[in-house]
């Protein structure tokens, strides 16, 4: 995985960009190859394998930076796939965790810290009259489906094309289908996301295009839908706000047809604002799920919703379990994270995020690269090759993925780590110095790809 020219160790991104050198990731490549003897592919999630140049191995995180085993200090816009809203080493969270570790790890019983975590969530999230904790977004999505079916007596979970709600067999469908497999936009077909799934896994599932009220209403009218799940703003792919009136209309349509509305706020929660996308857009769903930024990188997830629904876990024989649910160390992390998510913090970080988003758009334009930079303050999307802002997954299919891969790789060589799907996650720790260095790297990377943009071929990697 030698990448172009060798640079000295511990270079800052700004130095790398100024000297017009390229970072080396050889040690990462060596360790990944070695570890593949024990770990399949050297990674513990398929999503960690797909970075141009290969997966990296890190030694530590520091605010907005990750330091890898080659000694590179990378500005990080993965932010733990969106989880690290406060940055990598927020002092208050670390202290709270260390203190809790000294008090014990797992009680298989209740602790006061989890009651505090629950109270904070209920105070801040409009739909949270009751909650239950879990450990991952995938897992609490399953709890939401079970509740929806139990509450309505109906069978179908209706999902939206391009939205992701975890990797389990009954929902990993049509998350990123190829254009040829996806069927017509008016009537998309379910496309499995993995080998090993079969049609039986999708027997309780159907799919529609997002952001189109007419299509949602028409599908609900068939009367068999227990729950409609969607990201209230589409962020797993793209960064797309709902059209005016779409969320309100979706809620009203669900009411009319006896279905529950489920918001997946695993990404949008604590990113689109302190109280999630539901507060930002003013629509309160029946059930919502949260994970990622809820505890700044600790494995906490939550299913929240109307009291009468969540109480079905107690009164109606709907099972919800999990050895690690509300594990006290993660709860301590969550309470500390939630306390650190202040209004002033959001305002300051948002100013930085907007400055960067606008800076990237201006640089790409200046370089003559067609792009749409869309989304929010602490999470946005750079879609190369788009003529207009995407409204749904079908529009996103028109992005020039090969060109973006080149762009992401050119950024990495300058010390800036971004996801290849175009998403950028900004944390409270990304200050103006970091943004200046990032924009400098963007300028260089834009130059690189502008020179060859007509070819749109992946960068050759040794
Ligand atoms: C919108 C959304 N929902 C659910 C999930 C699944 O969460 P987890 O990876 O914690 O299982 C993800 C993960 O990326 C996500 O982006």
């Amino acid at each position: 995985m030698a990448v172009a020219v060798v640079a000295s160790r511990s270079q800052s991104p700004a130095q790398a960009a100024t000297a017009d050198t390229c970072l080396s990731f050889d040690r990462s490549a060596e360790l990944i190859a070695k570890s593949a003897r024990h770990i399949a592919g050297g990674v513990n999630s398929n999503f960690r394998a797909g970075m141009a140049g290969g997966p990296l191995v890190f030694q530590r995180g520091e605010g907005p930076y990750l330091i890898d085993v080659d000694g590179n200090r990378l500005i990080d816009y993965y932010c733990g796939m969106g989880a690290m809203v406060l940055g990598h080493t927020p002092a208050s969270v670390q202290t709270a965790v260390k203190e809790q570790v000294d008090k014990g790890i797992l009680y298989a019983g209740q602790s006061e810290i989890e009651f505090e975590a629950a109270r904070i969530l209920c105070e801040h999230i409009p739909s949270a009259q009751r909650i239950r904790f879990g450990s991952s977004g995938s897992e609490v999505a399953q709890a939401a489906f079970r509740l929806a079916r139990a509450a309505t007596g109906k069978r179908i979970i209706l999902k939206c094309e391009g939205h992701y709600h975890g990797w389990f067999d009954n929902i990993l469908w049509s998350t990123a289908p190829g254009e040829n497999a996806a069927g017509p936009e008016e009537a998309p077909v379910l496309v499995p996301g993995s080998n090993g799934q079969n049609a039986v896994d999708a027997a309780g599932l159907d799919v529609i295009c997002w952001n189109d009220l007419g299509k949602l209403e028409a599908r609900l009218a068939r009367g068999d839908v227990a729950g409609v799940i969607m990201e209230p703003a589409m962020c797993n792919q793209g960064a797309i706000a709902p059209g005016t009136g779409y969320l309100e209309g979706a809620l009203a349509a669900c009411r009319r047809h006896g279905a529950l509305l489920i918001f997946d706020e695993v990404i949008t929660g604590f990113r689109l604002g302190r109280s999630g996308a539901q507060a930002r857009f003013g629509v309160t769903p029946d059930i919502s799920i949260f994970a990622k930024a809820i505890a700044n990188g600790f494995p906490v997830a939550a299913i929240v919703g109307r009291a009468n629904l969540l109480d079905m876990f107690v009164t109606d024989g709907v099972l919800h379990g999990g050895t690690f649910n509300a594990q006290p160390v993660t709860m301590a992390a969550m309470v500390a994270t939630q306390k650190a998510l202040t209004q002033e913090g959001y305002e300051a970080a948002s100013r930085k995020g907007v400055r960067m988003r606008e800076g990237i758009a201006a640089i790409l334009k200046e370089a003559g690269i067609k792009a749409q930079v869309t989304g929010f303050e602490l999470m946005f999307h750079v879609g190369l090759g788009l003529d207009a802002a995407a409204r749904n997954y079908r529009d996103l299919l028109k992005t020039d993925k090969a060109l973006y891969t080149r762009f992401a790789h050119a950024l990495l060589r300058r010390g800036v780590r971004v996801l290849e799907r175009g998403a950028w996650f900004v944390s409270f720790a990304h200050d103006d110095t970091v943004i200046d260095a990032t924009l400098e790297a963007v300028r260089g990377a834009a130059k690189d790809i502008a020179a060859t943009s007509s070819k749109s071929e992946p960068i050759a990697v040794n």
Side-chain angles (χ1 to χ4, degrees), residues 81 135-139 141 164-167 231 236 264-267 289 291-292 301 421:
M81 302 299 262
S135 305
S136 73
S138 300
E139 185 197 327
Y164 176 79
H165 310 294
W167 63 279
E231 291 182 90
N236 193 278
D264 180 337
E265 294 234 41
V266 168
I267 291 181
I289 59 170
K292 292 198 191 277
R421 66 170 192 250

Side-chain angles (χ1 to χ4, degrees), residues 400-423:
D400 188 338
K401 290 198 179 73
L403 186 61
Y404 196 84
T405 299
R406 297 169 66 85
F407 183 56
H409 201 188
L411 284 169
L412 184 65
R413 293 196 314 263
R414 289 171 168 78
V416 174
R417 181 181 187 240
V418 296
L419 277 99
E420 289 203 3
R421 66 170 192 250

Side-chain angles (χ1 to χ4, degrees), residues 136-150 157 165-173 201 205 229 262 264 287 289 303 313 318-320:
S136 73
S138 300
E139 185 197 327
V140 290
Q142 296 297 313
F145 305 151
R146 188 174 280 177
L147 265 191
R149 291 192 176 109
I157 298 299
H165 310 294
W167 63 279
F168 294 168
D169 280 346
N170 61 353
I171 191 67
L172 186 69
W173 294 79
D201 301 328
L205 191 68
I229 185 162
I262 305 163
D264 180 337
I287 295 174
I289 59 170
I303 172 170
F313 287 134
V318 183
L319 190 120
H320 168 245

